């Protein structure tokens, strides 16, 4: 069976962590990595990660997404580049236009309709047009303060209000996250940037509230959010940050959502800082659901690890996304996330490429590489020369096999050949491709120009 081909876009702390997990999963392979940092372009990912390559092909980090992202080269892109939908949007659209699924770690992408409804509509259109799926996920937003809350309400007869808090350690994250939280700034610098709206803090409260509200069918009439600096009294230092006593170690961020009667229905509290244990702060995740008759309380101590949690959510969602209907989706549209143990290919349902069983005697089509990339004529265009020349052969399967297996067939003239078993139809099926609205519009314009004028 062919492995699920994965491209990782963004190879910082999060992207490289995702790569490590992918390399440990059976049935997945990394076929490309894209990053914008010149210092690592051209490096082999196995050398960069300090992981034994074994018999796996070398994968070089590239700056050009078109080198590795296309329907023929990968099945899904795991994008760990941005926090905001607007910044991730051009990259996501590029992938969708190539006919490739996308999982984004951008916080706003967990519910992009909250901040970017027009961009969301376009992403949904592109995804459906190209029959692929796009979603945003992570540990927060994407799980602790929203999806887990919604799941817990499934055991409640009614819900009056919700309170949830996540007290976490920022230190596993990279430099970009530290800058978004204002880590290392003076209090005056923090307050100045905050007043100018230049301090991101935790991105995703609006999205978490939207997920909870959509899950429960609530209407949020008013939304408020506040940020306060967490000031350190001790020195805190690591690779991506240096906090002096008296400077900012993190942010306490809260949001409040109210219904049309003015009742507070959601309160989310998120104090996050680097090395909170240095000042005696214990991390943890806390959810309280007020039902009117009793309170349902959940406590997770210490916190659900933010870095590992996000990495795991992204990796574990791969088969769920490939199985999903086309379009821009949210976590509410999918089966509940779960750890993907064993061969990930066996979790696929819609992608019959990975698991269809053919019987001996069936007429099938096999694929052979007639001429590998790199051995083709130098007179060809560069992109053509870098593509394998593929030959498809039809014949009788000589033994039971699954799609993707190396098999032997007997052709109609009695010749026995080997190749990779595919799901290609045994009869020719031609059409003119997907309908293109723009071409239809241009066609009408041409008719009017020729005949009406």
């Amino acid at each position: 069976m062919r492995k699920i081909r994965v491209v990782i876009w963004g190879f910082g702390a999060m992207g490289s962590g995702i790569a490590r997990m992918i390399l440990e999963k059976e049935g997945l392979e990394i076929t490309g990595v894209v990053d914008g940092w010149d210092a690592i372009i051209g490096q082999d990912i196995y050398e960069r990660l300090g992981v034994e390559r074994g018999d796996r092909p070398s994968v070089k980090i590239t700056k050009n997404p078109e080198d590795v992202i296309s329907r023929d080269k990968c099945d899904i892109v795991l994008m760990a580049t941005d926090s905001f939908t607007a910044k991730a949007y051009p990259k996501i659209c590029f992938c969708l236009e190539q006919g490739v699924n996308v999982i984004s770690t951008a916080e706003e992408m967990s519910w992009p309709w909250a901040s970017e409804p027009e961009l969301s509509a376009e992403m949904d259109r592109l995804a459906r047009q190209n029959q692929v799926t796009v979603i945003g996920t992570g540990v927060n937003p994407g799980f602790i303060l929203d999806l887990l809350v919604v799941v817990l309400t499934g055991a409640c007869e009614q819900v009056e209000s919700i309170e949830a808090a996540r007290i976490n350690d920022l230190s596993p994250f990279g430099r970009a996250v530290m800058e978004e939280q204002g880590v290392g700034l003076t209090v005056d610098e923090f307050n100045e940037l905050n007043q100018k709206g230049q301090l991101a803090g935790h991105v995703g409260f609006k999205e978490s509230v939207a997920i909870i509200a959509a899950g429960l069918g609530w209407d949020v009439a008013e939304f408020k959010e506040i940020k306060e600096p967490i000031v350190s009294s001790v020195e805190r230092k690591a690779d991506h940050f240096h906090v002096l006593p008296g400077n900012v170690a993190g942010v306490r961020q809260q949001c409040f959502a109210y219904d049309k009667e003015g009742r507070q229905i959601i309160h989310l509290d998120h104090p996050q800082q680097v090395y909170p244990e240095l000042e005696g702060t214990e991390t943890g995740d806390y959810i309280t659901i007020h039902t009117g008759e009793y309170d349902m309380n959940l406590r997770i101590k210490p916190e659900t690890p933010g870095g590992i949690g996000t990495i795991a959510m992204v990796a574990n969602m791969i088969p769920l996304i490939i199985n999903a209907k086309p379009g821009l989706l949210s976590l509410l549209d999918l089966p509940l996330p779960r750890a993907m143990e064993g061969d990930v290919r066996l979790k696929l349902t819609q992608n019959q490429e990975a698991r269809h069983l053919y019987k001996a005697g069936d007429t099938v089509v096999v694929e052979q590489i007639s001429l590998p990339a790199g051995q083709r004529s130098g007179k060809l265009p560069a992109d053509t020369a870098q593509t394998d020349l593929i030959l498809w052969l039809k014949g009788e399967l000589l033994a039971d096999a699954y799609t993707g297996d190396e098999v032997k067939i007997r052709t109609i003239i009695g010749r026995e050949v080997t190749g990779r078993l595919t799901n290609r139809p045994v009869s020719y099926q031609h059409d003119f491709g997907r309908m293109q609205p723009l071409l239809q519009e241009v066609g009408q314009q041409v008719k009017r120009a020729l005949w009406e004028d």
Side-chain angles (χ1 to χ4, degrees):
M1 292 186 288
R2 176 173 68 77
K3 292 183 178 181
I4 300 171
R5 302 164 301 175
V6 178
V7 166
I8 298 173
W9 195 334
F11 211 58
M14 198 58 58
S16 58
I18 293 170
R20 290 179 184 277
M21 185 170 288
I22 295 298
L23 293 174
E24 294 176 358
K25 293 282 186 180
E26 185 181 357
L28 302 178
E29 65 174 336
I30 298 174
T31 57
V33 170
V34 182
D35 197 274
W37 186 23
D38 289 336
I40 65 173
I41 300 303
Q43 290 186 18
D44 181 271
I45 65 167
Y46 297 98
E47 295 177 3
R48 179 80 185 165
L49 295 172
V51 174
E52 288 292 330
R53 180 161 67 88
D55 59 357
R56 293 176 288 203
S58 175
V59 178
K60 304 289 187 181
I61 302 171
T62 180
K63 191 178 239 180
N64 304 313
E66 56 271 17
D67 291 345
V68 293
I69 299 175
S70 69
R71 192 189 297 271
D72 295 333
K73 295 177 181 177
C74 66
D75 301 300
I76 192 164
V77 172
L78 310 181
M79 191 173 294
T81 56
D82 303 283
S83 290
F84 301 97
T85 297
K87 288 189 175 181
Y89 174 77
K91 305 181 187 75
I92 292 173
C93 288
F94 172 82
C95 298
L96 300 179
E97 288 167 348
Q98 309 312 307
V100 177
N101 300 289
V102 178
I103 300 176
S104 170
T105 64
E107 290 94 324
E108 283 190 350
M109 279 296 296
S110 62
W111 196 272
W113 303 274
S115 297
E116 302 288 352
E118 293 182 0
L119 300 186
S120 299
E122 178 61 13
M123 285 188 289
D124 182 55
R125 184 191 70 79
L126 275 176
R128 286 186 288 107
Q129 176 179 308
N130 292 285
Q131 293 295 293
V132 290
T133 306
V134 56
I135 196 170
T137 189
V139 78
N140 184 41
F143 188 68
I144 293 297
L145 293 185
D146 35 58
L147 184 63
L148 183 57
V149 173
V150 173
V151 171
L152 289 175
T153 66
C156 301
E157 183 178 1
Q158 62 181 15
V159 178
E160 290 192 347
S161 64
I162 289 168
E163 296 180 73
R166 175 166 170 78
I167 302 169
N168 76 305
D169 182 4
L170 282 175
S171 60
F173 293 90
R175 188 179 309 278
V177 173
M178 300 302 157
E179 293 174 355
E180 290 172 354
Q181 312 305 314
V183 173
L185 298 178
T186 66
V187 174
D188 288 342
E189 289 171 336
F190 178 98
N191 290 331
E192 181 180 355
L193 290 176
N194 191 28
Q195 289 175 358
K196 293 179 178 178
Q198 297 177 357
L199 196 66
H202 167 63
V203 179
F205 265 154
K206 187 182 295 185
E207 288 69 29
S208 289
V209 166
I211 291 172
I212 295 172
L216 297 181
W218 283 352
D219 290 325
V220 175
E222 185 181 2
F223 174 87
K224 293 181 180 178
E225 187 171 347
I226 59 174
K227 298 188 190 84
E228 300 169 306
I230 297 175
V231 181
S232 181
S233 61
V234 297
E235 185 178 20
R236 313 185 194 192
K237 188 175 182 180
D239 290 342
H240 299 298
F241 60 85
H242 185 195
V243 179
L244 296 173
N247 286 357
V248 176
V251 183
R252 183 186 182 188
Q253 203 160 333
Q254 301 180 74
C255 77
F256 306 86
Y258 304 87
D259 65 14
K260 60 184 179 181
E261 279 80 35
R263 292 185 301 113
Q264 179 183 298
I265 52 176
I266 300 173
H267 173 211
L268 303 181
D269 189 2
H270 191 16
Q272 52 180 341
Q273 58 185 302
V274 294
Y275 296 150
E277 70 277 4
L278 292 179
E279 294 201 49
T281 298
E282 295 184 359
T283 66
D285 300 312
Y286 308 89
I287 298 172
T288 299
I289 300 172
H290 302 289
T291 70
E293 298 182 359
Y294 63 92
D295 290 345
M296 178 185 286
N297 294 289
L298 174 71
R299 296 184 180 184
I300 302 173
K301 294 186 67 175
E303 61 166 315
T304 306
I308 295 174
T310 296
I311 289 166
M313 283 290 288
V314 170
N316 288 325
M317 293 296 290
I318 289 173
L320 302 184
I321 294 304
I322 294 176
N323 288 340
K325 65 182 181 180
L328 171 62
L329 304 183
S330 79
L331 291 163
L332 298 179
D333 298 313
L334 299 172
L336 292 176
R338 76 293 304 269
M340 292 296 169
E341 301 293 336
D343 194 328
V344 177
R345 292 170 291 184
L346 299 180
K347 315 296 182 183
L348 301 181
T349 56
Q350 301 299 325
N351 182 5
Q352 297 303 310
E353 174 71 8
R355 58 186 305 171
H356 189 76
L357 174 64
Y358 290 91
K359 296 290 188 178
D362 287 348
T363 301
V364 296
V365 177
V366 298
E367 174 184 292
Q368 287 183 341
I369 298 178
S370 179
L371 198 60
Q375 297 182 19
R376 303 185 66 176
S377 170
K379 297 180 180 180
L380 292 171
D383 56 345
T384 303
Q386 295 171 7
T387 304
D388 294 336
L389 182 62
I390 302 296
L391 176 67
W392 288 289
L393 301 163
K394 180 169 63 175
E396 176 189 354
L397 185 64
L398 299 185
D400 293 358
Y402 282 93
T403 311
D405 290 347
E406 193 74 13
V407 299
K408 182 176 288 188
I409 65 170
R410 183 181 295 112
T411 69
I412 196 169
I413 62 172
R415 190 163 62 99
E416 293 189 0
V417 296
T418 59
R420 189 184 72 87
L421 182 57
T422 76
N423 285 331
R424 294 180 67 85
V426 295
S427 59
Y428 294 114
Q429 296 180 346
H430 298 297
D431 62 26
F432 294 100
R434 298 186 184 91
M435 189 273 288
Q436 300 295 329
L438 179 60
L439 293 180
Q440 295 246 329
E441 180 181 341
V442 170
Q444 294 300 319
Q445 292 174 355
V446 171
K447 287 181 180 179
R448 287 195 294 270
L450 287 173
W451 307 111
E452 293 182 11
D453 295 340

